[in-house]
Amino acid sequence: MRIVYLVPSIANEGGVARVLSTKANYLVQKLGHEVHIVTQNKGNVPLFYHFDAAIFLHDILLTGTPFAFLWSYQKALSVIFKKIQPDCIIVADNGLKGYLVPWLFPTKTPILFESHGSKFIQEQASKNTFFGKLTYRFLILLKIFCAKKFDTFIVLSEASLQEWKLYNALVIPNPLATIPVKKANLQSKKVIAVARNTYEKGLDRLLPIWQKTSLANPDWTLEIYGNQVTNGTLLQLAKALQIENSVRFYEPVKNIEAKYQEAAVVLMTSRSEGLPMILLEAMAVGLPAIAYDCPCGPRAIITEGENGFLIPDGNENVFIAKLTLLLQNVALRVQMGNNASKITAKYDLETVMLQWQNLFETVAKK
């Protein structure tokens, strides 16, 4: 089967690129499919994750006004589709153009949407005005309308299924690329967070939490790994909060599993998530997790009080209290860490890819 993925970029350390590398490699190596990945504006160089040499990489240049942008997108993809003659098209693009693909390309070829984010995802703070609120509401309704046009709309969890409420939706979670052999011993005094420095990922919400937590736990350190975390904005905020001595900022590293193994707790303060690989991979190593109950990924992974704490979104005081509890209670960390590592069975690579293979066989019959 010839499978084409449409994704803005795979030249980054993000969760979508991580998952796509795992799945695309499996599709060509284990299942014998022909896989093509179409990115935009040099979105496939340089690659952060490994993509098998048998995978075909394409890139298209998109510039200009929104209308010129869409016209260029439609024209370039038409040329690629005509050449490849795909049996299945998978859109992994949360941008508006991703939702418009079935309208831009009326075709009998099955078009699937792979949703890696919340329906309510916001890449920047919305304007608190009547027009700003109206625009936000309109975009959500437009997403829902367009989502119904896809042959199948794949979501990553039951929580996401409830969020979208679509008749054509199907749950297939992200897989773990590997099952960790070495687990964290949870004895270090390091807390870890992994996220790019964007509004959506909410690192600006994490630093004030750490400021208050570190007052009672001065011997602990927070390590933050991610794209643009070493730029001026977070450093300035850390200095303003007077926590620059207890926070360390690092650019992305390929062997993030080793960093999880050195930590004792993993934190997430995102404003929205799909099914965050950061939590899956950290908890697989045995880290208890604390995350805001944002829409809607963390609640699909964290079982409150068993493998971590799910905090009411934006409730800083509860977050601080639960974090302090874990930092000061080794036995509780170990208990929750042991429970956290049990999630690996649900996200086993072979199991997840069997679900994808079954879906491909189903859409091929249609």
Side-chain angles (χ1 to χ4, degrees), residues 208-210 212-214 216-217 265 267 290 292 304 309-312 315-329 332 336:
I209 290 171
W210 185 252
K212 297 177 178 67
T213 304
S214 62
N217 303 276
V265 182
L267 306 180
I290 305 179
Y292 275 140
E304 170 64 23
F309 293 115
L310 200 58
I311 310 300
N315 194 322
E316 187 178 284
N317 290 334
V318 175
F319 203 116
I320 293 167
K322 296 300 185 182
L323 177 53
T324 300
L325 176 62
L326 274 184
L327 298 192
Q328 297 180 357
N329 192 327
L332 182 61
M336 285 190 165

Side-chain angles (χ1 to χ4, degrees), residues 48-347:
F48 189 83
Y49 298 111
H50 170 71
F51 286 81
D52 192 281
I55 297 170
F56 296 89
L57 302 181
H58 311 261
D59 192 78
I60 55 180
L61 180 64
L62 300 176
T63 58
T65 65
F67 290 106
F69 188 94
L70 282 176
W71 183 82
S72 299
Y73 188 57
Q74 195 273 342
K75 183 178 179 181
L77 285 185
S78 295
V79 172
I80 291 173
F81 291 161
K82 185 176 181 180
K83 180 180 179 181
I84 297 173
Q85 293 294 307
D87 298 304
C88 183
I89 299 167
I90 303 176
V91 181
D93 182 352
N94 281 324
L96 184 58
K97 69 182 182 306
Y99 288 90
L100 295 176
V101 168
W103 303 95
L104 296 173
F105 304 98
T107 176
K108 293 182 179 179
T109 302
I111 303 179
L112 318 180
F113 191 96
E114 186 176 317
S115 177
H116 284 275
S118 167
K119 180 172 68 177
F120 303 105
I121 185 174
Q122 288 182 271
E123 295 183 357
Q124 58 186 17
S126 58
K127 296 179 180 178
N128 193 26
T129 63
F130 174 77
F131 181 74
K133 293 177 181 178
L134 187 65
T135 300
Y136 176 64
R137 180 61 180 165
F138 170 75
L139 290 175
I140 291 176
L141 292 174
L142 182 60
K143 286 181 183 180
I144 296 171
F145 177 75
C146 292
K148 296 175 181 178
K149 184 72 172 176
F150 290 89
D151 291 87
T152 306
F153 192 91
I154 296 97
V155 296
L156 304 178
S157 67
E158 291 294 332
S160 185
L161 188 69
Q162 292 303 312
E163 181 183 79
W164 283 96
K165 292 183 172 65
L166 297 170
Y167 70 90
N168 59 336
L170 175 69
V171 177
I172 303 181
N174 288 334
L176 284 165
T178 59
I179 304 300
V181 176
K182 181 182 178 182
K183 298 293 192 294
N185 65 21
L186 308 181
Q187 301 302 309
S188 73
K189 293 197 173 183
K190 291 182 182 179
V191 176
I192 190 169
V194 181
R196 64 185 181 275
N197 183 21
T198 63
Y199 176 78
E200 176 195 356
K201 297 303 180 181
L203 290 177
D204 60 300
R205 305 205 292 179
L206 176 58
L207 294 189
I209 290 171
W210 185 252
Q211 178 201 35
K212 297 177 178 67
T213 304
S214 62
L215 291 176
N217 303 276
D219 50 344
W220 282 78
T221 302
L222 170 63
E223 295 187 346
I224 301 177
Y225 292 83
N227 189 24
Q228 298 183 13
V229 301
T230 58
N231 70 13
T233 57
L234 285 179
L235 291 173
Q236 290 173 6
L237 180 56
K239 289 180 179 178
L241 295 172
Q242 298 181 337
I243 55 172
E244 66 269 28
N245 293 328
S246 65
V247 181
R248 304 286 184 270
F249 298 101
Y250 302 97
E251 286 297 308
V253 295
K254 292 188 176 182
N255 188 17
I256 191 64
E257 183 178 308
K259 304 303 178 182
Y260 291 140
Q261 291 166 349
E262 297 172 358
V265 182
V266 62
L267 306 180
M268 176 171 283
T269 51
S270 297
R271 290 180 168 89
S272 69
E273 283 286 347
L275 189 72
M277 292 304 298
I278 292 153
L279 290 184
L280 289 181
E281 292 174 346
M283 292 171 71
V285 170
L287 291 186
I290 305 179
Y292 275 140
D293 187 17
C294 65
C296 60
R299 75 183 67 132
I301 302 172
I302 297 174
T303 302
E304 170 64 23
E306 291 187 18
N307 55 19
F309 293 115
L310 200 58
I311 310 300
D313 195 14
N315 194 322
E316 187 178 284
N317 290 334
V318 175
F319 203 116
I320 293 167
K322 296 300 185 182
L323 177 53
T324 300
L325 176 62
L326 274 184
L327 298 192
Q328 297 180 357
N329 192 327
V330 178
L332 182 61
R333 288 205 306 271
V334 171
Q335 177 186 334
M336 285 190 165
N338 288 334
N339 292 334
S341 64
K342 296 175 183 177
I343 68 166
T344 55
K346 185 177 179 179
Y347 303 101

Side-chain angles (χ1 to χ4, degrees), residues 22-71:
T22 299
K23 293 194 299 188
N25 291 340
Y26 192 97
L27 290 172
V28 298
Q29 294 169 358
K30 302 291 186 180
L31 299 178
H33 292 296
E34 180 181 311
V35 175
H36 298 255
I37 301 175
V38 182
T39 55
Q40 305 143 30
N41 298 333
K42 298 182 180 179
N44 58 18
V45 288
L47 293 173
F48 189 83
Y49 298 111
H50 170 71
F51 286 81
D52 192 281
I55 297 170
F56 296 89
L57 302 181
H58 311 261
D59 192 78
I60 55 180
L61 180 64
L62 300 176
T63 58
T65 65
F67 290 106
F69 188 94
L70 282 176
W71 183 82

